[in-house]
Amino acid sequence: MTDGRYALSLDDEEHARLRAQAAGAGDRERDLWARLGVGRGARIADLGCGPAATLLGLVDLVGSSGELVGVDSDPEAVRRGRTDVDAADAADTVRLVEGLAWDSGLRAGRFDGVIVRLVLVHNGGHEQAIVDHALSLLRPGGWVYLFDIDMTLIRVEPPTAPVSELFERLERFERGRGNDVAVGQRLGELLLAAGAELVEHHGRRSTRPRSPGRRGPAWAAREAMVAAGDATRADVARWDEDFRTLDARDDQPAHVSVGFTAIGRRPRGR
């Protein structure tokens, strides 16, 4: 069982990647928010919110009468998120607190919706407790939105240094921490076990060209991998040089991944 600490270093590069990731997800999720009834006055919590990128994308939808609360165990993520919230002039709507995804301290039954996005894969042993807690925060009829991955399906085509090796090292590292690297495939089971009504659970394959300069989450975990003995300083130096070589190429490999979405609702009788 992990201790809930996020292994990816939240430096400026990783912060920018998370903002870009949330922006891309927001484009894909716009129809989802409409189907879930996210609108003026909605109260939404984000467990494992990072620097609040997802919540900031919902500010215009919930309006000034809405309430967006993010919880993260990393003080640096909360600090950076608060800075971004202030910069967006959204402090009246978005509130960030330090806490655990399975024990947030938020009031039970208060929220219309709870988001748990790319959190379970980093919290091995706590997956069910996180989903149970998310459901407890909902009013009857409220929704939980889970999004996660199966690391075993992530790759670049064709296999390319150093990206392919980094994916393999990251998967080994996360398994060693006790994380379920294929948890995306279990999202529906977790919702049902929590007592939710399962609305949907599906996967979506994404293929896109690698962007030069983008090193991704495996690179952000390099220091943690070195500390755990899953990489060496020599590995990091070699990967850095390989990235520089790859960035200079015109022919970039394709990044392939599969993301899994699951929606559950708290039964109205509970």
Side-chain angles (χ1 to χ4, degrees):
M1 181 178 293
T2 66
D3 58 9
R5 287 181 296 178
Y6 192 53
L8 279 60
S9 299
L10 189 55
D11 55 15
D12 290 346
E13 181 180 351
E14 178 65 1
H15 189 176
R17 186 187 71 82
L18 292 174
R19 285 199 302 262
Q21 177 178 272
D27 291 340
R28 295 190 301 271
E29 292 165 351
R30 191 168 289 111
D31 291 343
L32 172 65
W33 302 135
R35 285 195 291 117
L36 292 174
V38 177
R40 299 292 177 182
R43 293 174 173 172
I44 299 172
D46 185 351
L47 302 180
C49 66
T54 297
L55 291 179
L56 284 170
L58 297 176
V59 170
D60 289 341
L61 288 177
V62 306
S64 58
S65 60
E67 180 184 10
L68 301 171
V69 182
V71 179
D72 204 280
S73 62
D74 181 1
E76 177 64 9
V78 173
R79 183 192 70 77
R80 285 176 176 265
R82 286 172 176 164
T83 298
D84 287 353
V85 167
D86 289 342
D89 195 25
D92 289 341
T93 305
V94 182
R95 176 168 62 94
L96 303 182
V97 297
E98 287 184 39
L100 298 170
W102 60 88
D103 185 16
S104 66
L106 301 182
R107 189 192 310 173
R110 178 174 179 79
F111 295 92
D112 301 302
V114 176
I115 298 167
V116 184
R117 198 174 197 289
L118 294 171
V119 170
L120 302 179
V121 74
H122 298 291
N123 284 274
H126 298 290
E127 299 96 335
Q128 191 63 61
I130 291 171
V131 178
D132 291 350
H133 182 60
L135 204 71
S136 76
L137 299 177
L138 295 173
R139 61 166 176 78
W143 51 266
V144 175
Y145 166 48
L146 306 180
F147 179 85
D148 231 301
I149 58 173
D150 180 342
M151 282 190 185
T152 68
L153 302 178
I154 298 176
R155 63 188 185 278
V156 289
E157 297 177 346
T160 306
V163 186
S164 298
E165 183 183 356
L166 267 169
F167 282 150
E168 293 170 0
R169 293 289 187 98
L170 181 63
E171 181 183 334
R172 184 175 73 189
F173 166 71
E174 294 290 3
R175 287 183 188 276
R177 299 183 77 219
N179 291 326
D180 179 358
V181 299
V183 71
Q185 305 217 34
R186 294 200 294 123
L187 301 183
E189 298 171 22
L190 292 166
L191 284 168
L192 289 171
E197 297 173 349
L198 182 62
V199 177
E200 62 183 73
H201 180 206
H202 59 82
R204 178 178 180 272
R205 185 179 189 269
S206 172
T207 303
R208 65 182 186 277
R210 175 186 177 270
S211 299
R214 183 182 183 277
R215 299 193 174 189
W219 178 254
R222 64 194 182 279
E223 293 299 328
M225 289 195 288
V226 169
D230 289 307
T232 66
R233 291 294 175 193
D235 289 330
V236 173
R238 174 169 53 82
W239 293 334
D240 181 57
E241 184 60 33
D242 286 345
F243 268 123
R244 294 174 189 275
T245 300
L246 179 58
D247 288 342
R249 286 172 41 180
D250 293 330
D251 58 325
Q252 292 294 316
H255 180 272
V256 180
S257 63
V258 179
F260 292 86
T261 293
I263 308 294
R265 287 193 180 274
R266 179 177 176 181
R268 292 188 180 277
R270 287 182 56 191

